[in-house]
Amino acid sequence: MIEQMKKVSVVLLNKEKEEALKALRKIGLVHLSKIEGSSEKLNAFKEYTANAIVSESILGEIKLDKKAKKNKVVLEDSKVVELCRQVVQKSERKKQLLEEISADTTELDRFEDWGSVSLEDLDFLKEKGIQIAMYEIAAEKYNQIDQEIETILVNNDKKSVRFLIVGYESRPEKLLPEAFEVPLPRMSTTALENEIKKDAAEIKEIERFYVENAKYVPAITAFRKNLESDIEFENVNAGMEHEQLGKENDLAWITGYVPTRDLEKFKKACAENEWAVAAADPEDEDTEVPTKLRNNKFVSLIYPLTDFLGTVPGYHEYDISGWFLLFFTIFFGMIFGDGGYGLLVAAFTIIMMLKSIFTRKPVSPMLGLVLLVSLATVVWGMVTCTWFGISAEHLPDWLVNLSVPQFSSAFEKNLDGTDRIWNVPWINDPSVGLTKNQFQQIFCFSLALVQLSIAHIKSGIRNLKEKKGLKVLGDLGSIMQLVGMFWIVLAMVVNSQVFKMLGNIGAVPVGKIEISLIALGFAMSFVFANYEGSIGKSVLESCKNIISVVLGIVNVFSDIVSYIRLWAVGLAGAAISGTVNQLASGIANNPEVGSIIAHALIFVAVIALLLFGHGLNMILNVLSVIVHGVRLNTLEFCTHIGMSWSGVKYSPFKDV
């Protein structure tokens, strides 16, 4: 559930605000409204942080030996500040040197075919009245240069001729247009080479400085983390509103939010510090109200995932933690799919949990979530008879018998190799029925119907609590559309003979029922979805958005169909694991191998292939869960419930 918040305002003496903020931080209950302070001290803290981040990045790239890693060097804050300043300064200098080397190298490359060029010699000749200019021309054009122009051949190759023209202050008029003048270098080529060597030597000195100080990275990291608290404090201190009368009793005040259940405790602390405090319920216009979730330990298992995703429900939205955990667990099991994989992950997780317990360290909440979803994978593998991609005929009978026949790969084929067809109650024709894959598809679409219906049920319950009774009819209309569209999806995607879109099943006119549900549900949504006290205004609002409202029917269809990804991704994972096993089996059963050494090498190759193939498949499955399993909860489900994840996580002002 989302805890109720109270908006509080604290008033105190301006001259005591710094001490008051320290006391407020010790209380650790109030989430402060956004404040943008400005002071020299705050700017200095921000500069220190920026320098520390750059220093961590640069020095962190240097690999230290094991001994240096174990020896954590302590460094005073003032020395850390100076070290970071030097690292940043040297980083900027190194960047400048690299740019200079690049420019000088480019300049040298330009004169690579000319050899050594001395500006001093050219200036000396110029002082003696001898003007020299450098030119290049195509090899076949050089002999066509007017004989009156005095030239000196420097060198040539198959394409170009490099030559000097003597005695002209500007380009000779009779010179062929194909000849182009080569601009002189900014300094002699020998000087350029010396500059490059000098810059390279300075870069080596900088890199040596980095290596010598890489051992201080942990100290820099600790310093930066401590700065975060200092920046937060100084930002509030500098940005806190106050009177500017210049009197002894000038007041200062601050606003924030406190959980309702902690309000009395907060008031008592304010009284002890002689602060004035006022509290009120947040208004609808308050957009900064933080969200604090409070659930039991089991539901809280989902928090590591939502924290990783950075998803926080708005204060006026819904807490779907329980539903998120339930469906994510199911989705994970179906996408990961393989019971053998689930057992491996569960075993590894239990070992990590026991290690934490034996070392008296707190067990990471993430381990609890991983254990839960891995057990869900084991259950799904048991249902479908999927264990490390091994074909059912090679599995023990007791493991096969644990599976559900309609979902199991062990009962997927008949003895003649054809797909096994399972009859359904309302079809008498034995040739018409459903296969294993179709049963799994039905399960996916059923999950869609259940989850999306829950979204509208939760929305309807809130509307009832907020006394918007007629708006509940809009939610009911959406559920009717889901039910009708569910049957259409089954008919179009799964089996049109079993799930007739038009016609009767026995005496039941399913086609008429499903179309009627969609039509009536659309009408109810159109009229009541935007109800805020006036049916006319609700209809008018729907008319304003008529295109999106009409497309909403298509969205219902696509949202249900979207859940087929659970079956498709799981099927792809099973295919990969089966292929890996086939490749390994082909190598292991090579009849041409006879020597013991060859058998040993093949054994090693098979094990390596199995570890690599199944390991890669598990990694791909994890990525698929993140992409698809999370998406169905945060997009399809939340779109139907009306959530935008616009919340701000409750983060009280407190000591770190």
Side-chain angles (χ1 to χ4, degrees), residues 463 468-475 522-532 535 538-539 542:
N463 288 329
K468 299 177 182 177
L470 291 180
K471 196 169 185 177
V472 177
L473 296 177
D475 296 307
F522 173 77
M524 293 172 66
S525 296
F526 187 87
V527 174
F528 299 107
N530 300 302
Y531 180 78
E532 295 290 342
I535 294 178
S538 178
V539 173
S542 295

Short mmCIF file of all heavy atoms in Angstrom, two decimals, residues 463 468-475 522-532 535 538-539 542:
data_model
loop_
_atom_site.label_atom_id
_atom_site.label_comp_id
_atom_site.label_asym_id
_atom_site.label_seq_id
_atom_site.Cartn_x
_atom_site.Cartn_y
_atom_site.Cartn_z
N ASN A 463 -12.79 4.04 -7.98
CA ASN A 463 -13.87 4.95 -8.37
C ASN A 463 -15.03 4.87 -7.39
O ASN A 463 -15.68 5.88 -7.09
CB ASN A 463 -14.34 4.64 -9.79
CG ASN A 463 -13.33 5.07 -10.84
OD1 ASN A 463 -12.60 6.05 -10.65
ND2 ASN A 463 -13.25 4.35 -11.94
N LYS A 468 -17.46 7.86 -7.42
CA LYS A 468 -17.67 8.08 -8.85
C LYS A 468 -18.34 6.84 -9.41
O LYS A 468 -17.80 6.12 -10.25
CB LYS A 468 -16.34 8.35 -9.56
CG LYS A 468 -15.61 9.58 -9.04
CD LYS A 468 -14.26 9.75 -9.73
CE LYS A 468 -13.51 10.95 -9.20
NZ LYS A 468 -12.16 11.09 -9.82
N GLY A 469 -19.54 6.56 -8.88
CA GLY A 469 -20.23 5.32 -9.18
C GLY A 469 -20.42 5.05 -10.66
O GLY A 469 -20.19 3.93 -11.14
N LEU A 470 -20.84 6.05 -11.42
CA LEU A 470 -21.10 5.84 -12.84
C LEU A 470 -19.83 5.56 -13.63
O LEU A 470 -19.86 4.90 -14.67
CB LEU A 470 -21.84 7.04 -13.43
CG LEU A 470 -23.30 7.25 -12.95
CD1 LEU A 470 -23.90 8.47 -13.61
CD2 LEU A 470 -24.13 6.00 -13.26
N LYS A 471 -18.69 6.06 -13.12
CA LYS A 471 -17.43 5.81 -13.82
C LYS A 471 -17.07 4.33 -13.77
O LYS A 471 -16.34 3.83 -14.63
CB LYS A 471 -16.31 6.64 -13.19
CG LYS A 471 -15.06 6.74 -14.06
CD LYS A 471 -14.09 7.78 -13.53
CE LYS A 471 -12.90 7.94 -14.49
NZ LYS A 471 -11.96 8.99 -14.05
N VAL A 472 -17.61 3.63 -12.75
CA VAL A 472 -17.37 2.19 -12.65
C VAL A 472 -17.93 1.47 -13.87
O VAL A 472 -17.40 0.46 -14.31
CB VAL A 472 -18.01 1.63 -11.36
CG1 VAL A 472 -17.84 0.11 -11.28
CG2 VAL A 472 -17.39 2.29 -10.14
N LEU A 473 -19.00 2.03 -14.46
CA LEU A 473 -19.59 1.42 -15.66
C LEU A 473 -18.60 1.45 -16.82
O LEU A 473 -18.61 0.56 -17.67
CB LEU A 473 -20.88 2.15 -16.04
CG LEU A 473 -22.03 2.06 -15.01
CD1 LEU A 473 -23.23 2.88 -15.49
CD2 LEU A 473 -22.42 0.61 -14.80
N GLY A 474 -17.75 2.47 -16.85
CA GLY A 474 -16.71 2.53 -17.88
C GLY A 474 -15.71 1.40 -17.70
O GLY A 474 -15.28 0.77 -18.68
N ASP A 475 -15.32 1.13 -16.43
CA ASP A 475 -14.41 0.00 -16.16
C ASP A 475 -15.08 -1.32 -16.50
O ASP A 475 -14.43 -2.23 -17.06
CB ASP A 475 -14.00 0.01 -14.69
CG ASP A 475 -13.19 1.24 -14.33
OD1 ASP A 475 -12.20 1.51 -15.03
OD2 ASP A 475 -13.55 1.94 -13.37
N PHE A 522 -17.83 -1.15 -25.49
CA PHE A 522 -17.33 0.09 -26.09
C PHE A 522 -18.27 1.25 -25.79
O PHE A 522 -17.81 2.36 -25.45
CB PHE A 522 -17.18 -0.09 -27.60
CG PHE A 522 -16.82 1.18 -28.32
CD1 PHE A 522 -15.52 1.67 -28.28
CD2 PHE A 522 -17.78 1.91 -29.01
CE1 PHE A 522 -15.18 2.84 -28.94
CE2 PHE A 522 -17.45 3.08 -29.67
CZ PHE A 522 -16.15 3.55 -29.64
N ALA A 523 -19.57 1.01 -25.91
CA ALA A 523 -20.55 2.06 -25.65
C ALA A 523 -20.47 2.54 -24.20
O ALA A 523 -20.50 3.75 -23.92
CB ALA A 523 -21.96 1.55 -25.97
N MET A 524 -20.34 1.59 -23.27
CA MET A 524 -20.25 1.96 -21.85
C MET A 524 -18.97 2.74 -21.58
O MET A 524 -18.98 3.73 -20.82
CB MET A 524 -20.31 0.70 -20.99
CG MET A 524 -21.67 0.00 -21.03
SD MET A 524 -21.66 -1.61 -20.20
CE MET A 524 -21.39 -1.12 -18.50
N SER A 525 -17.86 2.32 -22.18
CA SER A 525 -16.60 3.05 -21.99
C SER A 525 -16.68 4.43 -22.60
O SER A 525 -16.19 5.41 -22.03
CB SER A 525 -15.44 2.27 -22.63
OG SER A 525 -15.26 1.03 -21.99
N PHE A 526 -17.30 4.53 -23.76
CA PHE A 526 -17.43 5.81 -24.45
C PHE A 526 -18.21 6.81 -23.61
O PHE A 526 -17.86 7.99 -23.52
CB PHE A 526 -18.13 5.60 -25.79
CG PHE A 526 -18.16 6.83 -26.67
CD1 PHE A 526 -17.10 7.11 -27.52
CD2 PHE A 526 -19.24 7.70 -26.64
CE1 PHE A 526 -17.12 8.24 -28.32
CE2 PHE A 526 -19.26 8.83 -27.43
CZ PHE A 526 -18.20 9.10 -28.28
N VAL A 527 -19.26 6.33 -22.94
CA VAL A 527 -20.14 7.22 -22.19
C VAL A 527 -19.60 7.52 -20.80
O VAL A 527 -19.67 8.67 -20.33
CB VAL A 527 -21.56 6.60 -22.08
CG1 VAL A 527 -22.45 7.47 -21.18
CG2 VAL A 527 -22.18 6.47 -23.47
N PHE A 528 -19.02 6.53 -20.13
CA PHE A 528 -18.72 6.70 -18.70
C PHE A 528 -17.22 6.74 -18.36
O PHE A 528 -16.87 7.00 -17.21
CB PHE A 528 -19.36 5.55 -17.90
CG PHE A 528 -20.86 5.50 -18.02
CD1 PHE A 528 -21.48 4.51 -18.77
CD2 PHE A 528 -21.65 6.46 -17.40
CE1 PHE A 528 -22.86 4.46 -18.88
CE2 PHE A 528 -23.03 6.41 -17.50
CZ PHE A 528 -23.65 5.41 -18.25
N ALA A 529 -16.34 6.48 -19.31
CA ALA A 529 -14.91 6.40 -18.97
C ALA A 529 -14.36 7.71 -18.42
O ALA A 529 -13.46 7.72 -17.57
CB ALA A 529 -14.10 5.99 -20.20
N ASN A 530 -14.90 8.85 -18.87
CA ASN A 530 -14.41 10.17 -18.43
C ASN A 530 -15.37 10.85 -17.48
O ASN A 530 -15.32 12.07 -17.30
CB ASN A 530 -14.17 11.06 -19.66
CG ASN A 530 -13.16 10.48 -20.61
OD1 ASN A 530 -12.02 10.21 -20.23
ND2 ASN A 530 -13.56 10.26 -21.86
N TYR A 531 -16.25 10.07 -16.85
CA TYR A 531 -17.29 10.64 -15.99
C TYR A 531 -16.68 11.31 -14.76
O TYR A 531 -15.90 10.73 -14.03
CB TYR A 531 -18.26 9.54 -15.55
CG TYR A 531 -19.36 10.04 -14.64
CD1 TYR A 531 -20.45 10.71 -15.16
CD2 TYR A 531 -19.28 9.85 -13.25
CE1 TYR A 531 -21.46 11.18 -14.33
CE2 TYR A 531 -20.28 10.31 -12.42
CZ TYR A 531 -21.37 10.98 -12.96
OH TYR A 531 -22.37 11.43 -12.14
N GLU A 532 -17.02 12.57 -14.56
CA GLU A 532 -16.59 13.33 -13.39
C GLU A 532 -17.77 14.09 -12.79
O GLU A 532 -17.59 15.18 -12.24
CB GLU A 532 -15.48 14.32 -13.77
CG GLU A 532 -14.19 13.68 -14.23
CD GLU A 532 -13.45 12.97 -13.10
OE1 GLU A 532 -13.76 13.27 -11.92
OE2 GLU A 532 -12.59 12.13 -13.38
N ILE A 535 -22.63 13.22 -17.26
CA ILE A 535 -22.57 12.28 -18.38
C ILE A 535 -22.30 13.03 -19.68
O ILE A 535 -21.54 12.58 -20.54
CB ILE A 535 -23.88 11.48 -18.48
CG1 ILE A 535 -24.02 10.57 -17.24
CG2 ILE A 535 -23.91 10.64 -19.74
CD1 ILE A 535 -25.31 9.77 -17.22
N SER A 538 -18.73 13.85 -20.01
CA SER A 538 -17.97 12.62 -20.26
C SER A 538 -18.04 12.23 -21.73
O SER A 538 -17.03 11.87 -22.34
CB SER A 538 -18.50 11.48 -19.38
OG SER A 538 -17.81 10.29 -19.65
N VAL A 539 -19.24 12.30 -22.30
CA VAL A 539 -19.42 11.97 -23.72
C VAL A 539 -18.66 12.97 -24.59
O VAL A 539 -18.02 12.60 -25.58
CB VAL A 539 -20.91 11.95 -24.09
CG1 VAL A 539 -21.10 11.79 -25.60
CG2 VAL A 539 -21.63 10.84 -23.34
N SER A 542 -15.04 12.18 -24.67
CA SER A 542 -14.77 11.04 -25.55
C SER A 542 -14.82 11.46 -27.01
O SER A 542 -14.05 10.97 -27.84
CB SER A 542 -15.78 9.92 -25.28
OG SER A 542 -15.64 9.40 -23.98
#
